[in-house]
Amino acid sequence: MTYLAVFERKADQAVDRDDLTRDLRTHWPDARISVTSPDAPGREVRDVTWQYEEAGDRLEGRSHADGTCLYLEGPLHLAVRFACWYRRLVPAAEELIFCDDTYGFAIPVTVGATPGSVARAVTTGE
């Protein structure tokens, strides 16, 4: 399934690709990370990509080039972990929303949210 962790860009705030890459390497050392070169085809929408595997589950992630969205393909439990981790990188004034690719749900990921609380909100609709 494809999930998104997205925020609106206010006053040109975004997550810097170098910060994202550095923090991915620090907090997810087993992830395979690739940074798209500035002149690569598709760079306008795909910036940093990664793959992470844990206990047989796999998550593929990528950031939008404008620094305001993650696309997360994989099981819910890994996607919400990455969304909660990403919340720490998003400017505090921004509202981060976790949703599926059809916007069938839209859950705010507040500062300090836990993967469990976000996953419960997704599965219970609260």
PDB file of all heavy atoms in Angstrom, residues 19-30 33 85 88:
ATOM      1  N   ASP A  19      19.555  17.340   5.125  1.00  0.00           N
ATOM      2  CA  ASP A  19      19.120  16.977   6.477  1.00  0.00           C
ATOM      3  C   ASP A  19      18.407  15.628   6.464  1.00  0.00           C
ATOM      4  O   ASP A  19      18.642  14.776   7.320  1.00  0.00           O
ATOM      5  CB  ASP A  19      18.192  18.039   7.060  1.00  0.00           C
ATOM      6  CG  ASP A  19      18.888  19.359   7.320  1.00  0.00           C
ATOM      7  OD1 ASP A  19      20.144  19.385   7.411  1.00  0.00           O
ATOM      8  OD2 ASP A  19      18.179  20.382   7.427  1.00  0.00           O
ATOM      9  N   LEU A  20      17.518  15.441   5.481  1.00  0.00           N
ATOM     10  CA  LEU A  20      16.797  14.179   5.361  1.00  0.00           C
ATOM     11  C   LEU A  20      17.775  13.023   5.160  1.00  0.00           C
ATOM     12  O   LEU A  20      17.690  12.000   5.849  1.00  0.00           O
ATOM     13  CB  LEU A  20      15.804  14.239   4.196  1.00  0.00           C
ATOM     14  CG  LEU A  20      15.062  12.941   3.878  1.00  0.00           C
ATOM     15  CD1 LEU A  20      14.191  12.503   5.049  1.00  0.00           C
ATOM     16  CD2 LEU A  20      14.224  13.106   2.619  1.00  0.00           C
ATOM     17  N   THR A  21      18.707  13.186   4.252  1.00  0.00           N
ATOM     18  CA  THR A  21      19.678  12.121   3.959  1.00  0.00           C
ATOM     19  C   THR A  21      20.526  11.811   5.180  1.00  0.00           C
ATOM     20  O   THR A  21      20.720  10.645   5.542  1.00  0.00           O
ATOM     21  CB  THR A  21      20.570  12.534   2.769  1.00  0.00           C
ATOM     22  OG1 THR A  21      19.732  12.818   1.650  1.00  0.00           O
ATOM     23  CG2 THR A  21      21.535  11.430   2.398  1.00  0.00           C
ATOM     24  N   ARG A  22      21.018  12.837   5.832  1.00  0.00           N
ATOM     25  CA  ARG A  22      21.856  12.632   7.031  1.00  0.00           C
ATOM     26  C   ARG A  22      21.069  11.907   8.122  1.00  0.00           C
ATOM     27  O   ARG A  22      21.555  10.948   8.724  1.00  0.00           O
ATOM     28  CB  ARG A  22      22.357  13.974   7.558  1.00  0.00           C
ATOM     29  CG  ARG A  22      23.279  13.833   8.777  1.00  0.00           C
ATOM     30  CD  ARG A  22      23.634  15.152   9.439  1.00  0.00           C
ATOM     31  NE  ARG A  22      22.431  15.795   9.962  1.00  0.00           N
ATOM     32  CZ  ARG A  22      21.916  16.934   9.484  1.00  0.00           C
ATOM     33  NH1 ARG A  22      22.505  17.586   8.508  1.00  0.00           N
ATOM     34  NH2 ARG A  22      20.818  17.441   9.997  1.00  0.00           N
ATOM     35  N   ASP A  23      19.830  12.342   8.372  1.00  0.00           N
ATOM     36  CA  ASP A  23      19.043  11.715   9.426  1.00  0.00           C
ATOM     37  C   ASP A  23      18.606  10.298   9.066  1.00  0.00           C
ATOM     38  O   ASP A  23      18.505   9.440   9.942  1.00  0.00           O
ATOM     39  CB  ASP A  23      17.841  12.586   9.787  1.00  0.00           C
ATOM     40  CG  ASP A  23      18.227  13.739  10.702  1.00  0.00           C
ATOM     41  OD1 ASP A  23      19.432  14.053  10.809  1.00  0.00           O
ATOM     42  OD2 ASP A  23      17.327  14.322  11.330  1.00  0.00           O
ATOM     43  N   LEU A  24      18.335  10.042   7.793  1.00  0.00           N
ATOM     44  CA  LEU A  24      18.062   8.669   7.367  1.00  0.00           C
ATOM     45  C   LEU A  24      19.255   7.775   7.693  1.00  0.00           C
ATOM     46  O   LEU A  24      19.096   6.682   8.240  1.00  0.00           O
ATOM     47  CB  LEU A  24      17.771   8.602   5.870  1.00  0.00           C
ATOM     48  CG  LEU A  24      16.355   8.882   5.412  1.00  0.00           C
ATOM     49  CD1 LEU A  24      16.325   9.067   3.894  1.00  0.00           C
ATOM     50  CD2 LEU A  24      15.409   7.774   5.837  1.00  0.00           C
ATOM     51  N   ARG A  25      20.444   8.239   7.346  1.00  0.00           N
ATOM     52  CA  ARG A  25      21.653   7.445   7.595  1.00  0.00           C
ATOM     53  C   ARG A  25      21.889   7.226   9.083  1.00  0.00           C
ATOM     54  O   ARG A  25      22.361   6.181   9.498  1.00  0.00           O
ATOM     55  CB  ARG A  25      22.853   8.099   6.924  1.00  0.00           C
ATOM     56  CG  ARG A  25      22.813   7.968   5.425  1.00  0.00           C
ATOM     57  CD  ARG A  25      24.079   8.458   4.741  1.00  0.00           C
ATOM     58  NE  ARG A  25      23.994   8.152   3.327  1.00  0.00           N
ATOM     59  CZ  ARG A  25      24.139   9.036   2.365  1.00  0.00           C
ATOM     60  NH1 ARG A  25      24.416  10.302   2.655  1.00  0.00           N
ATOM     61  NH2 ARG A  25      24.042   8.674   1.103  1.00  0.00           N
ATOM     62  N   THR A  26      21.562   8.226   9.892  1.00  0.00           N
ATOM     63  CA  THR A  26      21.769   8.136  11.335  1.00  0.00           C
ATOM     64  C   THR A  26      20.733   7.235  12.004  1.00  0.00           C
ATOM     65  O   THR A  26      21.083   6.360  12.792  1.00  0.00           O
ATOM     66  CB  THR A  26      21.720   9.544  11.972  1.00  0.00           C
ATOM     67  OG1 THR A  26      22.757  10.334  11.406  1.00  0.00           O
ATOM     68  CG2 THR A  26      21.884   9.478  13.481  1.00  0.00           C
ATOM     69  N   HIS A  27      19.454   7.444  11.703  1.00  0.00           N
ATOM     70  CA  HIS A  27      18.376   6.752  12.409  1.00  0.00           C
ATOM     71  C   HIS A  27      17.931   5.449  11.765  1.00  0.00           C
ATOM     72  O   HIS A  27      17.267   4.642  12.412  1.00  0.00           O
ATOM     73  CB  HIS A  27      17.185   7.688  12.584  1.00  0.00           C
ATOM     74  CG  HIS A  27      17.497   8.853  13.464  1.00  0.00           C
ATOM     75  ND1 HIS A  27      17.538   8.776  14.830  1.00  0.00           N
ATOM     76  CD2 HIS A  27      17.844  10.123  13.151  1.00  0.00           C
ATOM     77  CE1 HIS A  27      17.881   9.953  15.335  1.00  0.00           C
ATOM     78  NE2 HIS A  27      18.067  10.791  14.333  1.00  0.00           N
ATOM     79  N   TRP A  28      18.257   5.251  10.509  1.00  0.00           N
ATOM     80  CA  TRP A  28      17.884   4.032   9.789  1.00  0.00           C
ATOM     81  C   TRP A  28      19.136   3.494   9.080  1.00  0.00           C
ATOM     82  O   TRP A  28      19.189   3.448   7.853  1.00  0.00           O
ATOM     83  CB  TRP A  28      16.774   4.331   8.776  1.00  0.00           C
ATOM     84  CG  TRP A  28      15.581   4.988   9.409  1.00  0.00           C
ATOM     85  CD1 TRP A  28      15.321   6.319   9.487  1.00  0.00           C
ATOM     86  CD2 TRP A  28      14.505   4.336  10.071  1.00  0.00           C
ATOM     87  NE1 TRP A  28      14.143   6.541  10.162  1.00  0.00           N
ATOM     88  CE2 TRP A  28      13.620   5.336  10.534  1.00  0.00           C
ATOM     89  CE3 TRP A  28      14.193   2.994  10.319  1.00  0.00           C
ATOM     90  CZ2 TRP A  28      12.454   5.044  11.228  1.00  0.00           C
ATOM     91  CZ3 TRP A  28      13.033   2.707  11.025  1.00  0.00           C
ATOM     92  CH2 TRP A  28      12.172   3.723  11.466  1.00  0.00           C
ATOM     93  N   PRO A  29      20.162   3.105   9.837  1.00  0.00           N
ATOM     94  CA  PRO A  29      21.452   2.739   9.236  1.00  0.00           C
ATOM     95  C   PRO A  29      21.388   1.537   8.291  1.00  0.00           C
ATOM     96  O   PRO A  29      22.265   1.401   7.435  1.00  0.00           O
ATOM     97  CB  PRO A  29      22.351   2.463  10.444  1.00  0.00           C
ATOM     98  CG  PRO A  29      21.417   2.159  11.562  1.00  0.00           C
ATOM     99  CD  PRO A  29      20.174   2.960  11.293  1.00  0.00           C
ATOM    100  N   ASP A  30      20.368   0.710   8.413  1.00  0.00           N
ATOM    101  CA  ASP A  30      20.254  -0.443   7.519  1.00  0.00           C
ATOM    102  C   ASP A  30      19.533  -0.125   6.215  1.00  0.00           C
ATOM    103  O   ASP A  30      19.429  -0.975   5.337  1.00  0.00           O
ATOM    104  CB  ASP A  30      19.542  -1.596   8.231  1.00  0.00           C
ATOM    105  CG  ASP A  30      20.346  -2.127   9.406  1.00  0.00           C
ATOM    106  OD1 ASP A  30      21.595  -2.022   9.363  1.00  0.00           O
ATOM    107  OD2 ASP A  30      19.736  -2.626  10.366  1.00  0.00           O
ATOM    108  N   ILE A  33      20.044   3.897   0.723  1.00  0.00           N
ATOM    109  CA  ILE A  33      19.642   5.271   0.391  1.00  0.00           C
ATOM    110  C   ILE A  33      20.282   5.700  -0.915  1.00  0.00           C
ATOM    111  O   ILE A  33      21.453   5.425  -1.160  1.00  0.00           O
ATOM    112  CB  ILE A  33      20.074   6.229   1.526  1.00  0.00           C
ATOM    113  CG1 ILE A  33      19.447   5.787   2.848  1.00  0.00           C
ATOM    114  CG2 ILE A  33      19.699   7.671   1.192  1.00  0.00           C
ATOM    115  CD1 ILE A  33      20.080   6.418   4.060  1.00  0.00           C
ATOM    116  N   TRP A  85       8.879   9.569  12.646  1.00  0.00           N
ATOM    117  CA  TRP A  85      10.282  10.004  12.608  1.00  0.00           C
ATOM    118  C   TRP A  85      10.405  11.291  11.780  1.00  0.00           C
ATOM    119  O   TRP A  85      11.059  12.241  12.180  1.00  0.00           O
ATOM    120  CB  TRP A  85      11.147   8.885  12.018  1.00  0.00           C
ATOM    121  CG  TRP A  85      12.503   9.339  11.620  1.00  0.00           C
ATOM    122  CD1 TRP A  85      13.582   9.546  12.430  1.00  0.00           C
ATOM    123  CD2 TRP A  85      12.925   9.681  10.301  1.00  0.00           C
ATOM    124  NE1 TRP A  85      14.652   9.989  11.683  1.00  0.00           N
ATOM    125  CE2 TRP A  85      14.266  10.080  10.370  1.00  0.00           C
ATOM    126  CE3 TRP A  85      12.286   9.682   9.056  1.00  0.00           C
ATOM    127  CZ2 TRP A  85      14.991  10.488   9.256  1.00  0.00           C
ATOM    128  CZ3 TRP A  85      13.001  10.077   7.952  1.00  0.00           C
ATOM    129  CH2 TRP A  85      14.336  10.474   8.049  1.00  0.00           C
ATOM    130  N   ARG A  88       9.725  14.847  13.215  1.00  0.00           N
ATOM    131  CA  ARG A  88      10.808  15.547  13.909  1.00  0.00           C
ATOM    132  C   ARG A  88      11.576  16.485  12.983  1.00  0.00           C
ATOM    133  O   ARG A  88      12.184  17.444  13.442  1.00  0.00           O
ATOM    134  CB  ARG A  88      11.784  14.541  14.516  1.00  0.00           C
ATOM    135  CG  ARG A  88      11.179  13.679  15.598  1.00  0.00           C
ATOM    136  CD  ARG A  88      12.146  12.651  16.192  1.00  0.00           C
ATOM    137  NE  ARG A  88      13.522  13.015  16.090  1.00  0.00           N
ATOM    138  CZ  ARG A  88      14.424  12.383  15.318  1.00  0.00           C
ATOM    139  NH1 ARG A  88      14.081  11.343  14.609  1.00  0.00           N
ATOM    140  NH2 ARG A  88      15.670  12.787  15.282  1.00  0.00           N
TER     141      ARG A  88
END
